[in-house]
Amino acid sequence: MTFRQFACNNVLRNKRTYAAFFLSSVFSVMIFFVYAMFIFHPGIDDEEIHGSVATGMIVAEYIIFLFAFFFLFYCVGAFLKKREKEFGILFMHGMTAKQRNLLIFMETMLIGGVSILCGIVLGLVLVKLFFQFAGFLLDVQALEFYFPWKAIGLTFVAFLILFAAISIFTVLLLRSKSLLDLLQGSQRPKREPKASVVLSFLAAGLLGIAYALALTADGISVVVLLLPVTALTIAGTYLLFTQLSVFFISFLKKRRSIYWKRTNLITFSDLDNRMKDNARMFFLVCIVSTIAFCAIGTLAALAGSIQETVVKTNPFAFEYQTNKGNLEEQKHLALIENSLLQNGFSFEKHQATMRLLPQKVNDETVGVVKLTDYNQFALAANSRELKLGDNEAFLVVRWFGDSVDSKMLTVGANELAVKTDTKINPLLSGLDFERLAVIPDRVYDQLKGLNEEVRYGYVVPKWKDTQEISLGLQEKIEHYGEHYYFSARAPVYHSMKQMANTLLFIGLFVGVLFFVAAASFLYFRLYTDLENDKRQYGAISKIGLSDRELSRVVTTQIALLFFVPIVVAIIHSMVAFVSLQSLLKLMLIASVFKPTAIVLLSFVIVQAIYFWIIRNRYLFHLKRSVSQ
């Protein structure tokens, strides 16, 4: 047998252990390759799909590559630790450290090479579905299939370098151990882990402070507190798994009513060691899952609220505003209305006239509109109507979150008390004034000889279908003229929808990659302990442990392994979404709770199915070993 054949046989003999590593590698390669196909696609720069889509894909490629490197590097190091006994035996038979390093390099490159080939082939098979899904999300025609030589070359070279770098770094960082330590491997007796009381309470304190800051943050303060809250959460999570979990289990073991009940003695006897051994893995799974939950939930909320956001910021399908007396006014209005009628679109036309006050208020020019006109405009735009007293004025905010300092407003001979509400949609704005005031009709009618502006709003029931008309009108009517302003809702909607769905498309698969990586951590950790569990439960079965009790103990332990980090990640995500909601309101984004609930529920269902499959396979191997 040659050395190369020996390396191949080693991989085949450990196929169960390497399965999660291999499948995760294939999935990483496939996602990277599919995104590369988008980047190099000849149709990506056409009029329908903006070049920013390719830019987003390039950013995603960097994220995938960096994450794949650290994830696979961690996995390779963990696999080698499991094989310490095997290396000890090989050293007894004359293997040198140099040969061991060469063996590790060859095995890693073998798995990497096959992963690259499988990932590219799988990507070619599934890319048509990816193209159709992207076309659906981006609301464009699905991209045509092409043979992606550049994407194949980039993927092959990038991941070949990645696996070579992992192999070299792994060999360089290998610690030299005595032959006895290698032969003992995982059978070395373990001391009962000790947890620091101070660090345990510090974990609770850090998470408590992080949650309190996140839940009480409002508006723009969410952005300011983002980094400190994230740092506190990461530090608290690490201490939660390394200290607080061990402290809590030790506390339970001292309570006889709990520890000595049924099979709890077996369940908890080694649980603190498992928690200590798996603490870093739990921490990684928790943080990675939190990132996946938050990213996908936020992007789903953003994509799902595009229509509501666009309707609030563009109350009418078409808007035209001009100074009174503009000679092109009637020509422009006729152009808008004829375009709609000729293409079979029904519409309603609404009008509001505004006058410019001669004096400034707080260094701002102010325009006024009569209450009746404003309310008619608001009713047409499905916005809230206003109610004013005879000596009251309402100052309209210019954007959401804008503040108003004025308490009184002088209009002609009238002193009006100022009212405002930052939640009122700013329906009207001015060409020549900075702030708009809604005033009683009698006060407005008293104003004479002032400059006037008129705004027209067109309500079109099927406004989403006016994209082509809107683009044509924008070519014929400048967006901002010297004496007028024109806007159309459909182009804004389609542009924002494509941008949001692009982010969702990119984030969805990157998030799924993170989740697959988290699942791979769990799979590997479980099968790392399989041989030790076979010996342990085999010995316990000889003194009376039934199959039913074995199933209950193992199910409990595996459930903790699978769901403890996920539950913590869900709690982190829920707190983050509550905090995020106050910020997203300023961006006119609808509630994140519905898309968040869907995302979290989907991940929990997938995790539950994955847990059930792995639990059954694990019990099968244990029971077969015990019965022999």
Side-chain angles (χ1 to χ4, degrees), residues 395-452:
L395 278 182
V396 180
V397 295
R398 292 166 291 185
W399 56 81
F400 281 81
D402 182 24
S403 60
V404 174
D405 298 326
S406 302
K407 301 299 182 183
M408 299 296 294
L409 179 66
T410 302
V411 181
N414 300 275
E415 284 287 330
L416 304 177
V418 170
K419 295 171 59 177
T420 191
D421 188 343
T422 57
K423 297 179 181 179
I424 294 290
N425 190 7
L427 291 174
L428 300 169
S429 58
L431 296 174
D432 298 323
F433 58 83
E434 299 167 285
R435 179 81 68 179
L436 178 69
V438 183
I439 60 177
D441 291 11
R442 69 165 186 84
V443 178
Y444 183 89
D445 293 336
Q446 293 173 6
L447 301 174
K448 304 295 182 182
L450 300 179
N451 293 331
E452 289 188 337

Side-chain angles (χ1 to χ4, degrees), residues 39-144:
I39 293 169
F40 292 113
H41 198 287
I44 200 70
D45 290 323
D46 65 13
E47 294 181 358
E48 284 192 297
I49 301 181
H50 198 267
S52 60
V53 175
T55 304
M57 297 287 182
I58 292 171
V59 174
E61 293 283 59
Y62 283 111
I63 295 172
I64 294 168
F65 191 79
L66 287 173
F67 179 77
F69 175 82
F70 289 111
F71 165 66
L72 298 177
F73 180 70
Y74 175 87
C75 289
V76 170
F79 293 147
L80 294 179
K81 187 176 180 181
K82 183 179 182 295
R83 295 174 60 193
E84 286 180 346
K85 184 176 181 180
E86 176 188 336
F87 287 131
I89 295 172
L90 291 173
F91 279 135
M92 285 182 62
H93 286 80
M95 174 179 273
T96 64
K98 185 177 180 180
Q99 289 175 319
R100 179 202 59 184
N101 295 344
L102 179 60
L103 179 66
I104 293 170
F105 181 84
M106 292 177 67
E107 289 177 2
T108 306
M109 292 304 295
L110 176 62
I111 297 171
V114 176
S115 300
I116 293 170
L117 291 175
C118 291
I120 291 175
V121 171
L122 191 61
L124 287 171
V125 171
L126 298 177
V127 74
K128 189 64 178 177
L129 293 176
F130 279 93
F131 282 171
Q132 290 178 341
F133 183 57
F136 168 75
L137 278 182
L138 302 179
D139 197 24
V140 297
Q141 189 72 24
L143 294 172
E144 294 294 327

Side-chain angles (χ1 to χ4, degrees), residues 122-299:
L122 191 61
L124 287 171
V125 171
L126 298 177
V127 74
K128 189 64 178 177
L129 293 176
F130 279 93
F131 282 171
Q132 290 178 341
F133 183 57
F136 168 75
L137 278 182
L138 302 179
D139 197 24
V140 297
Q141 189 72 24
L143 294 172
E144 294 294 327
F145 178 81
Y146 76 109
F147 201 79
W149 290 110
K150 290 183 179 179
I152 291 174
L154 174 65
T155 305
F156 188 83
V157 171
F159 274 88
L160 198 64
I161 293 172
L162 183 145
F163 280 106
I166 288 173
S167 304
I168 294 170
F169 275 110
T170 302
V171 168
L172 292 176
L173 295 176
L174 274 177
R175 297 178 181 177
S176 58
K177 292 186 178 181
S178 67
L179 185 60
L180 179 61
D181 287 338
L182 291 173
L183 290 173
Q184 286 181 334
S186 61
Q187 297 181 39
R188 287 191 294 269
K190 296 179 180 179
R191 297 179 180 178
E192 184 173 357
K194 301 293 182 181
S196 167
V197 178
V198 175
L199 292 178
S200 298
F201 280 102
L202 180 61
L206 290 175
L207 289 176
I209 294 171
Y211 287 173
L213 289 174
L215 294 173
T216 55
D218 187 32
I220 201 66
S221 62
V222 174
V223 178
V224 177
L225 292 173
L226 179 61
L227 287 178
V229 168
T230 301
L232 289 171
T233 302
I234 291 174
T237 303
Y238 182 78
L239 292 176
L240 169 68
F241 290 120
T242 57
Q243 302 294 329
L244 184 58
S245 61
V246 178
F247 176 79
F248 182 69
I249 294 168
S250 300
F251 174 79
L252 292 178
K253 288 172 73 172
K254 294 176 183 178
R255 299 295 179 271
R256 291 192 174 189
S257 59
I258 299 173
Y259 189 43
W260 287 24
K261 185 178 180 181
R262 291 185 173 182
T263 55
N264 285 354
L265 181 66
I266 301 172
T267 303
F268 289 112
S269 62
D270 195 37
L271 192 58
D272 48 1
N273 272 309
R274 285 179 181 266
M275 292 300 296
K276 193 74 172 180
D277 291 343
N278 296 328
R280 290 184 180 179
M281 186 269 295
F282 282 162
F283 169 72
L284 289 173
V285 170
C286 179
I287 296 301
V288 166
S289 299
T290 303
I291 294 171
F293 294 158
C294 290
I296 297 176
T298 303
L299 293 172

